Amino acid sequence: EGAELIDAVLDVVRKEAEGCDCLQGFTLSHSLGGGTGSGMGTLLISKIREEYPDRVMCSYSVFPSPKVSDTVVEPYNCVLSTHTLLEHTDVTFMVDNEALYDICRRNLDIERPTYTNLNRLTAQIISSMTASLRFDGALNVDLTEFQTNL
């Protein structure tokens, strides 16, 4: 369970944060349909926010779709997690699983997209969104500017 693991995870987060020259904030990618992404993910966000209230908290949150999974609890997990995201994140990018599924089918000609296809597409989205944070250039920004420009 997330509550049992949270202290160990936060120790790793603290260690990584201490090793940074100029910690701007945190970015978390998670799914809101399952118990780990919604429960542990939002618990981690709230705990990081408590310890680092002056840092930017950004999340890429994958919202569930009945096309991809038919688990009964996904809508409930999603609704309960959304409140925590509103409360503890500065920027949340909603990644719609159904839209990913449709993009794979219509634009990429993948008749029956797998989780691997959906995850690769999500990784491309995140990579494109964060390119200005990772590379030098005229469009280079930090997390605070990134948040402001949205």
Side-chain angles (χ1 to χ4, degrees), residues 5 7-8 34 43 54 57 59 78 94 99 105 107 116 120 123 128 140:
L5 298 173
D7 290 331
L43 178 62
D54 58 336
M57 176 59 74
S59 77
C78 184
M94 180 185 140
R105 291 190 68 211
N107 298 32
T116 300
R120 286 183 180 160
S128 297
N140 183 268

Side-chain angles (χ1 to χ4, degrees), residues 67 81 117:
K67 281 188 180 178
S81 299
N117 300 128

Side-chain angles (χ1 to χ4, degrees), residues 56-78:
V56 176
M57 176 59 74
C58 177
S59 77
Y60 292 88
S61 304
V62 180
F63 282 71
S65 164
K67 281 188 180 178
V68 180
S69 174
D70 59 355
T71 305
V72 177
V73 297
E74 282 188 347
Y76 300 106
N77 289 342
C78 184

Side-chain angles (χ1 to χ4, degrees), residues 15-142:
K15 183 179 176 184
E16 291 297 322
E18 289 168 5
C20 292
D21 293 334
C22 180
L23 178 66
Q24 295 178 23
F26 300 90
T27 300
L28 179 78
S29 303
H30 62 129
S31 170
L32 296 181
T36 305
S38 62
M40 177 65 175
T42 55
L43 178 62
L44 182 60
I45 287 171
S46 65
K47 293 290 187 181
I48 290 173
R49 176 58 88 192
E50 284 176 21
E51 289 196 34
Y52 302 93
D54 58 336
R55 301 294 181 225
V56 176
M57 176 59 74
C58 177
S59 77
Y60 292 88
S61 304
V62 180
F63 282 71
S65 164
K67 281 188 180 178
V68 180
S69 174
D70 59 355
T71 305
V72 177
V73 297
E74 282 188 347
Y76 300 106
N77 289 342
C78 184
V79 168
L80 295 170
S81 299
T82 300
H83 173 72
T84 303
L85 292 174
L86 287 169
E87 193 80 18
H88 297 289
T89 61
D90 299 302
V91 180
T92 295
F93 295 96
M94 180 185 140
V95 182
D96 181 17
N97 231 1
E98 189 166 335
L100 293 174
Y101 192 83
D102 289 342
I103 289 169
C104 284
R105 291 190 68 211
R106 291 184 190 152
N107 298 32
L108 302 176
D109 296 324
I110 302 170
E111 190 173 318
R112 184 104 174 110
T114 64
Y115 284 117
T116 300
N117 300 128
L118 299 175
N119 288 340
R120 286 183 180 160
L121 186 54
T122 303
Q124 286 292 322
I125 292 167
I126 294 171
S127 177
S128 297
M129 293 288 296
T130 60
S132 64
L133 300 170
R134 295 179 287 117
F135 300 111
D136 287 333
L139 297 176
N140 183 268
V141 296
D142 62 21

